[in-house]
Amino acid sequence: MGIGVGGSVLDAARPAAAMVAVEFIFSALQIFIKLALDDGMDVRVLVAYRLMFGAAFLCPLAFLIERKKRPPLTVKVVTGLFLCGLFGITINQNLLVLAIKLTNSTTIVTALSNLTPQSTFIVATLTRMETLKLRKPSGQAKLGGTLVGLGGAMLITFYKGPEMRFLRRLAHTGLSHATGDRQLRQQPAAGSRILGSFLAITSCFSYAIWLTIQAKVGQVYPCHYSIAALVCLFGALQSTLLALCIHRDADHWRLGLNIRLYSSAYAGIVASGSAFPLMSWCLRKKGPLYVAMFGPLIVVFVAVMSSIVLDEALHIGIVLGAVLIVAGLYMVLWGKAREEDEQEADAPKLVGQDEELGKESLPHAKG
């Protein structure tokens, strides 16, 4: 009896532990990216190498796991995957990494990246995939959450506020001293910080467009590993061509046993290769709303790790804006969950109405 209860508790805790691990992996990725940029690595080259490593890891994995159930590729599916690579990988990742470079802050960019649900709601509304149901609590919550989240983004973008020093008092490594001194010498101008923030917000809309396209592709090509591998492959080709158009000098592409290689390998193999299977497993077990609820954890992880490892300053404006973004995120998620409940509640009513209409039309049909 005790073993059964313990086993059930362990089974229930596994999805939560997996999502915490996923958010920690992505948090460490932000730190690796910042360290590579501080080392002088070009934004576009970093993204290209990341996707090369990711495609090299995911393609064999997808071939082995889904080789027996993979449907044939059609022109429509390939076009959709190409667009997924363009919006979800190439544009999104280049904007995010450039935003980190311009703001000189992983915490700002990570906080703004939590606008993805609000951005998805806006894109879905503009493309008429979703309608504004302002008379229902679900529609009010989604609209309110979107406005609150955008307000938090504006707060982060335009308000800095006093510095919160308590995290920076923790023990620092020699690496953090070096990066901290470098950061003190390279404080971004206000214009760069604002531009970087808007690029981060734009990347959320690019990601939202990718989600919209991939949802349609997934309906006709239900192979998650193959989709991830092909999207990563297309993104690698697109990002490499973009980087080569700007940098053909071999010095920009040279990798040694340094932070540039470690960052690229971690991003491609660990972040793409390990986090994606964990997230896919959680999606199958618990659904998208459960996975999305863990998104704000990355803000906390990055804020702590950036302060300790990078000696990055944390300002009150970032904290207040992040709180608003997270509050808006949960409002949108609550609205989405409530909408699903409303649809389930309305379904029996619609069935009953159809039956009544059928009974009313029956005598006329006989006549």
Side-chain angles (χ1 to χ4, degrees), residues 80-98:
L81 292 173
F82 179 86
L83 293 175
C84 285
L86 180 64
F87 288 102
I89 302 291
T90 304
I91 296 176
N92 174 263
Q93 291 301 310
N94 276 281
L95 288 177
L96 273 179
V97 177
L98 185 56

Side-chain angles (χ1 to χ4, degrees), residues 64-187:
L64 292 173
I65 294 175
E66 298 175 338
R67 64 184 184 277
K68 294 182 179 179
K69 61 178 182 179
R70 188 185 302 108
L73 284 169
T74 63
V75 175
K76 183 178 180 180
V77 171
V78 172
T79 303
L81 292 173
F82 179 86
L83 293 175
C84 285
L86 180 64
F87 288 102
I89 302 291
T90 304
I91 296 176
N92 174 263
Q93 291 301 310
N94 276 281
L95 288 177
L96 273 179
V97 177
L98 185 56
I100 292 175
K101 184 178 180 65
L102 288 172
T103 61
N104 200 29
S105 173
T106 56
T107 309
I108 289 177
V109 176
T110 304
L112 291 172
S113 67
N114 276 279
L115 282 172
T116 298
Q118 291 94 326
S119 303
T120 305
F121 173 69
I122 293 173
V123 170
T125 303
L126 292 176
T127 56
R128 297 184 178 180
M129 292 183 66
E130 187 161 344
T131 56
L132 279 173
K133 301 174 182 177
L134 296 181
R135 293 183 179 180
K136 294 187 175 182
S138 59
Q140 295 168 4
K142 288 194 288 186
L143 178 60
T146 300
L147 295 176
V148 170
L150 291 175
M154 294 302 101
L155 185 62
I156 289 176
T157 301
F158 295 108
Y159 177 69
K160 197 170 185 179
E163 182 183 346
M164 301 178 67
R165 296 180 177 272
F166 65 95
L167 285 176
R168 299 182 74 183
R169 295 194 185 105
L170 297 176
H172 294 276
T173 61
L175 177 63
S176 69
H177 284 303
T179 54
D181 292 340
R182 189 185 305 120
Q183 183 169 338
L184 288 173
R185 293 194 301 266
Q186 298 179 354
Q187 287 295 329

Side-chain angles (χ1 to χ4, degrees), residues 2 66 103 134 137 141-142 159 162 178 182 189-190 195 212 258 263 271 280 294 300 307 320 330 336 338:
E66 298 175 338
T103 61
L134 296 181
K142 288 194 288 186
Y159 177 69
R182 189 185 305 120
L195 177 60
T212 305
N258 51 30
S263 298
S280 298
F294 286 84
V300 179
S307 296
L320 294 176
Y330 283 122
K336 191 66 179 175
R338 181 64 182 267

